[in-house]
Amino acid sequence: MELFRISRIIPFMRHVKVLNLISFAAFIAAVFFIVVRGFNLSIEFTGGTVMEVHYEQTAQVEEIRNALSDIGYSDFQVQSFGTSQDVLIRLPATDTNDTSAQSESVLAALQAQHSDVELRRVEFVGPQVGQELVHNGLLALLFVVVGIMVYLAFRFEWKLAIACAIANLHDVVIILGFFALFQWEFSLPVLAGVLAVLGYSVNESVVVMDRIRENFRKQRRMPVPEIINLSITQNISRTIITHGSTQLMVLSMFFFGGPTLHYFSLALTIGIWFGIYSSVFVASGISLGLGLKREDLIPKQVNKDEEPTAEALD
């Protein structure tokens, strides 16, 4: 399906060296901010106080958030729990870890809004739980990266596989760099968004690389940079349809999904745009820099009247 067809080949590879230098600089900057500034980890990673409260009427989640903000909390989570009258509140850990003092101040703020608020339970989630979540999250990210690299190694010639792998790593590190630079809250939904971007980005890279491989077999006399330009140009309509429809869905979560989905959709938005960029310039540029040529993708033909040589068999 195509919305439009471009009649001329767009010279994407004309300035690929400059763009790859910019990408490399952005990658190094992202790594720098990750190492120096670190992440603003959410309660799920750092531990904190969990409160369950009950209302006689339907609980107004936004009012509860406003009450917590008024008493000085900025990093917290509020969500319905079981029924519309039960609410689960997660508060960050304090220096003293005084759970009773935290719960009393929060309950007083909530009762100032509605006197019928009832505290059902209070418990402290220790940092050990947070450490386990960090460990499991990093393991999940590692397994996804390794799985993608194994898939690419079987799917493509090694130059294209390495280019795709580096492009996908580029997208993930850039997202993490944004969260480290601006100290946006890094939560489990954000980690899920990063993993989703990995799969989303590798799909776009595979489509572009497939078209490059196909055009190598069709365009026998065209130079390698022109083949890459042709392949990317042919995919522009598909890219606009795919990424445009996905971005519309993500933007709906960003504007109407509330605080729970805010940073999740933000991570997806960054990943979508940098996924387009990396598939066009990073992956294709790296494959070109690695010396991709027609012989890498087109098997050598053996004359039927001659015995195949050892080189041809290899």
Side-chain angles (χ1 to χ4, degrees), residues 75-276:
D75 179 16
F76 57 83
Q77 294 178 1
V78 180
Q79 62 188 75
S80 297
F81 181 71
T83 68
S84 61
Q85 297 170 274
D86 295 306
V87 176
L88 197 67
I89 302 172
R90 290 186 174 91
L91 302 171
T94 60
D95 295 335
T96 60
N97 289 335
D98 190 347
T99 303
S100 61
Q102 264 190 314
S103 60
E104 288 173 3
S105 64
V106 170
L107 185 61
L110 297 181
Q111 288 178 339
Q113 292 180 328
H114 299 279
S115 58
D116 59 352
V117 180
E118 177 187 348
L119 180 62
R120 289 288 177 87
R121 68 182 174 96
V122 179
E123 59 186 41
F124 179 75
V125 182
Q128 181 61 36
V129 176
Q131 291 174 9
E132 291 178 0
L133 286 172
V134 171
H135 180 261
N136 293 336
L138 290 176
L139 276 181
L141 183 60
L142 177 63
F143 288 149
V144 169
V145 171
V146 171
I148 288 174
M149 293 184 70
V150 170
Y151 165 75
L152 293 173
F154 280 100
R155 180 70 183 269
F156 293 115
E157 190 270 342
W158 70 270
K159 293 175 184 176
L160 293 182
I162 289 178
C164 285
I166 294 176
N168 294 326
L169 179 63
H170 168 274
D171 296 340
V172 172
V173 172
I174 291 296
I175 295 174
L176 298 178
F178 269 100
F179 274 82
L181 172 62
F182 296 107
Q183 288 295 290
W184 294 330
E185 183 183 74
F186 192 89
S187 60
L188 285 180
V190 173
L191 178 60
V194 172
L195 296 176
V197 166
L198 261 177
Y200 187 86
S201 180
V202 75
N203 175 70
E204 181 67 19
S205 299
V206 165
V207 169
V208 173
M209 294 303 169
D210 261 337
R211 185 56 64 92
I212 291 174
R213 182 168 56 184
E214 178 184 334
N215 283 329
F216 263 117
R217 293 167 181 169
K218 289 181 178 179
Q219 308 293 335
R220 298 281 178 164
R221 298 181 179 179
M222 186 177 287
V224 174
E226 287 299 307
I227 290 179
I228 295 177
N229 289 334
L230 172 64
S231 304
I232 298 173
T233 302
Q234 291 173 339
N235 275 320
I236 286 180
S237 181
R238 174 205 168 274
T239 298
I240 292 175
I241 295 173
T242 303
H243 293 282
S245 57
T246 305
Q247 187 62 66
L248 285 175
M249 179 271 296
V250 172
L251 286 177
S252 66
M253 289 193 296
F254 181 82
F255 289 111
F256 306 111
T260 304
L261 296 177
H262 178 79
Y263 289 115
F264 170 74
S265 55
L266 186 59
L268 288 179
T269 298
I270 298 171
I272 288 172
W273 287 102
F274 275 93
I276 298 173

